Amino acid sequence: MATVALYNMEGAKTGSMEVSDAIFAAEVNKTVLHQVVVNYLANQRQGTQSTKTRTEVRGGGIKPWRQKGTGRARQGSIRAPQWTGGGVALGPKPRSYRYSLNRKVKRIALKSALSAKYADYQVYVIEDLKLDEIKTAKIVKLLKGLEVSKALIVTAEADENVYKSARNIKGVTPTHVGTLNTYDILKHDAFVISKDAVSKIEEVLA
């Protein structure tokens, strides 16, 4: 089985543990990773952009000049798209960019992302990732000991102390297994995870 190093809250190595080959040493499917990342980014779009058409802009009720005899091109409204201040032709309107992918595809992408981090020696398992109080300095000390800066910190369950201690550190994103996604794993240089969170991921993705 694949083996990862164990660290304490000071970032010092304390031992090692075995992890599932099917999850941390699987074949990296770049095609699926691309599909899932594009899907994630599309689903984050607000889709609130909007432009006004010629029927929505103010004014333009009267014909600017008569149809014939002026020598100029015929015009029906000063709010047509070709006029300054006119409406926009075929402009964006509010819409949803959301679309879904199969659950199987998302699972393959998660395994591929975790395997890619493992292959690049960027997985750091913390033996007991817990804090008795909200203390950013302790998370900073942990990351300094691991010699990482841009990190995704993952706990088994939502942990308010860890979350509030890490959320203001530049380049660091705290999360838990229930909200873990492929994009966040790939976006960060280091994957810092608690030992019990590893077990939970293996149960979920088994």
Side-chain angles (χ1 to χ4, degrees), residues 179-198:
T179 58
L180 188 63
N181 64 78
T182 301
Y183 178 77
D184 281 339
I185 296 173
L186 297 176
K187 181 182 176 182
H188 295 82
D189 295 335
F191 185 71
V192 181
I193 184 170
S194 65
K195 184 177 179 181
D196 51 346
V198 172

Side-chain angles (χ1 to χ4, degrees), residues 21-73:
D21 286 340
I23 297 173
F24 288 92
E27 181 182 354
V28 178
N29 191 323
K30 293 183 179 180
T31 301
V32 170
L33 284 176
H34 179 264
Q35 290 176 355
V36 171
V37 168
V38 170
N39 171 254
Y40 176 85
L41 294 176
N43 291 347
Q44 300 306 303
R45 296 185 67 174
Q46 290 184 325
T48 55
Q49 72 277 40
S50 181
T51 54
K52 290 184 177 181
T53 65
R54 62 183 295 170
T55 64
E56 295 169 322
V57 292
R58 184 180 178 88
I62 190 172
K63 189 174 175 68
W65 52 75
R66 58 197 174 99
Q67 181 81 346
K68 296 178 180 294
T70 64
R72 290 179 288 186

Side-chain angles (χ1 to χ4, degrees), residues 66-88:
R66 58 197 174 99
Q67 181 81 346
K68 296 178 180 294
T70 64
R72 290 179 288 186
R74 55 193 177 188
Q75 299 292 331
S77 170
I78 61 170
R79 291 296 175 255
Q82 71 269 22
W83 286 73
T84 300
V88 175

